[in-house]
Amino acid sequence: ILDEPVKAVDINFSDMQGNRYTLSDFEDKNIIINFWAVFCGPCVTELPDFDKAVKEFESMDTVLLAINIVEPKDEVQEFIDDMKLADLGFYMDVDGNSAYTYSVSTIPRTLVINKEGYIIAAASGAVTYDDLMALADFLD
């Protein structure tokens, strides 16, 4: 949890079908962004926990966005299918702007943005289901 919230900067990303989005498209919702990659062991470990948490967060007006930062779409889709990750929203970083904007130098990197558009928490390294559930108190 950050001592002082930081205003989130709008970023561009696309879903697996190529539709483009920005953070502002999720206005009035809490947003949890997870920057990840297929080659990242801790990312692979934590993504099933994020997938499991999606339904819990829907009732709190919270979306979970898994933004892949470096890999080809077909490789990412194969990974999602192999891991049987059905609920988590998977996205692609468009032109590397999202990771660059948020100075993502290590992955996984998770940011928690409240409904007012402020980053209230951030984590480097794997996040567990229990970690995600502990955030619920800060998002209500």
Side-chain angles (χ1 to χ4, degrees):
I1 305 299
L2 302 180
D3 292 334
E4 290 291 324
V6 176
K7 185 69 176 161
V9 177
D10 216 4
I11 53 175
N12 300 300
F13 46 94
S14 64
D15 64 17
M16 297 305 292
Q17 292 72 44
N19 300 305
R20 288 183 170 264
Y21 294 90
T22 64
L23 278 184
S24 56
D25 290 329
F26 299 93
E27 192 173 61
D28 298 326
K29 292 191 177 290
N30 299 305
I31 304 167
I32 299 175
I33 302 173
N34 178 257
F35 292 102
W36 71 284
V38 170
F39 67 81
C40 164
C43 301
V44 172
T45 301
E46 75 178 354
L47 285 171
D49 284 354
F50 275 82
D51 192 62
K52 179 180 172 185
V54 168
K55 291 200 185 319
E56 301 282 342
F57 279 106
E58 283 177 354
S59 64
M60 294 181 273
D61 284 332
T62 301
V63 294
L64 281 76
L65 309 174
I67 300 178
N68 183 280
I69 63 168
V70 295
E71 295 156 325
K73 187 173 99 172
D74 58 338
E75 189 175 321
V76 173
Q77 188 62 58
E78 182 180 338
F79 170 82
I80 294 166
D81 294 343
D82 289 348
M83 293 287 291
K84 296 178 177 44
L85 301 171
D87 294 320
L88 184 57
F90 283 94
Y91 298 87
M92 305 297 295
D93 188 357
V94 177
D95 303 323
N97 99 328
S98 299
Y100 177 79
T101 299
Y102 282 104
S103 302
V104 175
S105 58
T106 61
I107 52 175
R109 177 81 169 141
T110 302
L111 303 174
V112 181
I113 303 169
N114 67 15
K115 290 179 182 179
E116 290 76 35
Y118 285 87
I119 301 169
I120 60 167
S124 292
V127 173
T128 67
Y129 178 81
D130 290 338
D131 294 334
L132 290 167
M133 292 301 101
L135 287 171
D137 294 337
F138 296 96
L139 294 175
D140 279 341

